[in-house]
Amino acid sequence: MADMDVFLDRLDPDMCVVTAAADGEEAGCLVGFASQCSMEPVRFVVWLSEVNRTFRVAGSAEYLAVHLLAREQHALAEVFGGQTGDDVDKFRQVRRRHGYGGAVLLEDTEAWFVGRVVERTPGGDHVGFVLDPVEWGGSGTSGGPLLRLSDARTIEAGHPVD
Ligand SMILES: Cc1cc2nc3c(=O)[nH]c(=O)nc-3n(C[C@H](O)[C@H](O)[C@H](O)COP(=O)(O)O)c2cc1C
């Protein structure tokens, strides 16, 4: 598959932090595999690795929250991408509140929405959570650059793959 890197290495998606809450548990991780997947209705899909704690909590969550970060919010990306909730409580390190349906909203992000999970679709080692937006907001006033994969490549994924 080495040749496929010619394609994959050109990708530089905006990163997001996806949070999940269910059964008294909260989780969240940094996600690069995400995109709008429908126009009418507007829907968005986030792909969660089956090994992550966030995936396990999201498995029984009715709603997920998706946040876009400003480029300078690298430290926030490091909390959610470089640590696993299996070992640390990420939410003690950030400011957050609760939103629609008990979703966990991170304060001070550029833009966010809460989506109802309408489908879980297998993709390989990640599962796609198709989301129907029910609440949204964000500071977004700066309109500055978002944190992208090229900004986050230095973060070593917090959850071991095996
Ligand atoms: C640049 C980068 C991109 C990532 N993209 C994804 C992704 O698309 N989906 C995913 O489930 N995990 C992704 N991760 C991995 C998780 O964010 C990371 O393993 C996290 O520590 C998992 O935390 P958790 O076990 O608390 O859920 C990415 C990590 C990095 C550093």
Side-chain angles (χ1 to χ4, degrees):
M1 288 298 277
D3 290 348
M4 185 60 186
D5 289 345
V6 174
F7 182 96
L8 297 177
D9 287 351
R10 299 300 299 270
L11 302 178
D12 192 15
D14 299 320
M15 302 301 293
C16 50
V17 173
V18 176
T19 62
D23 305 327
E25 289 197 90
E26 296 180 344
C29 71
L30 187 68
V31 163
F33 296 166
S35 78
Q36 186 171 351
C37 59
S38 171
M39 291 195 299
E40 191 60 52
V42 171
R43 283 189 173 150
F44 196 88
V45 63
V46 296
W47 296 88
L48 297 179
S49 165
E50 294 178 356
V51 302
N52 289 351
R53 178 166 186 275
T54 305
F55 169 79
R56 295 199 300 276
V57 176
S60 44
E62 192 173 350
Y63 301 95
L64 301 181
V66 182
H67 311 76
L68 294 174
L69 309 184
R71 183 183 286 167
E72 61 268 21
Q73 290 180 304
H74 191 274
L76 190 57
E78 182 102 41
V79 168
F80 282 93
Q83 308 178 11
T84 172
D86 285 341
D87 298 335
V88 298
D89 182 353
K90 301 181 187 185
F91 295 101
R92 288 177 70 100
Q93 305 171 53
V94 300
R95 298 203 309 129
R96 55 82 186 263
R97 63 189 170 88
H98 287 102
Y100 193 100
V104 187
L105 298 179
L106 305 180
E107 301 281 15
D108 307 320
T109 59
E110 285 292 293
W112 57 266
F113 75 92
V114 176
R116 189 169 62 87
V117 180
V118 292
E119 193 135 16
R120 293 174 174 83
T121 182
D125 56 11
H126 286 56
V127 172
F129 289 71
V130 179
L131 303 173
D132 219 343
V134 294
E135 187 185 23
W136 43 84
S139 59
T141 45
S142 72
L146 297 174
L147 187 107
R148 304 179 76 166
L149 177 60
S150 52
D151 304 307
R153 277 195 198 281
T154 52
I155 301 172
E156 193 178 333
H159 203 292
V161 176
D162 43 31

